[in-house]
Amino acid sequence: MRIKKLFREPITLQSEEVVLRQVQASDMEDLFSMYSNENMFTYRPGMVRKTLAMVEKLIDTMSQEYERKERIYLAVCLSDNPDKVIGIGEIYDIDSRIERATIGYSIDEKYWGKGIATKVVGMMIDFLFREIETNRIEAHVMPENKPSDKVLLKNGMTREGLIRQGAFWNGKGIVDVYQYAILMEDWASFHNKSLEEK
């Protein structure tokens, strides 16, 4: 697993529709639009940020976690407007001993239902397997979050089971979560099958 590559230089991933790049200070207004919306936190950890100053502090925290090699936050943008942030992708809980990483994602409510989350998850999975040589990628979702369940299954992940009262999420406390995962061998098979169907 090539962990050093994760933190060697800022990550930029691009498809025809979506760009993933690291968060910048200039993204503050777009992030405030997202993080000040209570609906964004129905099924995810965290708390509403009611002021620009709170979002500015959040961006500082994102930068510090990257510097400590703990977590990567990727701004989700549409390819035709790479300066406007419409979501966040995350890579965290990186463990070189078992070659594992965990992913998370949030899309601005204005862009729900457009298939963007499915593309974002696919891009992060492809990057982690191809470039970082990860062997296992996990994700955790509240059972009530049916849209995220579909997003992960569409990307070849397996719902491994319900972890009852198995996670502490800021703003929610102790919650039940479904654990999803995909192994390198699963992804290779899923990817080849997808190519054959095209």
Side-chain angles (χ1 to χ4, degrees), residues 4-97:
K4 288 183 179 179
K5 186 170 183 178
L6 271 175
F7 298 97
R8 185 179 302 152
E9 57 188 28
I11 296 168
T12 300
L13 309 176
Q14 185 157 3
S15 70
E16 289 184 11
E17 300 91 358
V18 175
V19 173
L20 303 182
R21 59 165 175 79
Q22 287 188 244
V23 174
Q24 305 165 359
S26 59
D27 297 326
M28 186 163 58
E29 292 280 353
D30 292 336
L31 292 177
F32 176 69
S33 177
M34 285 178 52
Y35 284 97
S36 61
N37 180 358
E38 290 185 4
N39 293 336
M40 294 293 297
F41 296 91
T42 303
Y43 299 124
R44 62 154 289 157
M47 293 173 285
V48 174
R49 268 67 174 191
K50 297 182 179 180
T51 66
L52 283 171
M54 293 174 75
V55 175
E56 184 177 22
K57 185 176 180 180
L58 174 64
I59 293 173
D60 286 343
T61 299
M62 291 176 174
S63 177
Q64 290 167 17
E65 289 185 351
Y66 178 78
E67 292 299 323
R68 293 196 299 264
K69 298 179 172 54
E70 294 174 353
R71 185 180 296 240
I72 297 170
Y73 294 87
L74 297 170
V76 178
C77 310
L78 297 178
S79 295
D80 59 4
N81 191 0
D83 293 325
K84 180 174 178 54
V85 180
I86 64 165
I88 292 290
E90 300 176 41
I91 301 170
Y92 59 102
D93 280 351
I94 301 154
D95 189 334
S96 62
R97 296 168 299 176

Side-chain angles (χ1 to χ4, degrees), residues 180-196:
Y180 299 75
I182 184 169
L183 302 179
M184 170 74 84
E185 61 195 61
D186 304 330
W187 170 78
S189 176
F190 177 78
H191 184 69
N192 290 336
K193 183 178 178 182
S194 298
L195 289 176
E196 288 171 4

Side-chain angles (χ1 to χ4, degrees), residues 123-148:
M123 291 168 71
M124 290 194 292
I125 288 174
D126 285 357
F127 168 73
L128 286 168
F129 282 138
R130 289 182 192 276
E131 302 297 329
I132 308 303
E133 299 177 1
T134 306
N135 184 59
R136 176 180 170 90
I137 299 171
E138 294 183 358
H140 301 96
V141 173
M142 292 179 71
E144 301 84 358
N145 191 350
K146 305 302 183 186
S148 272

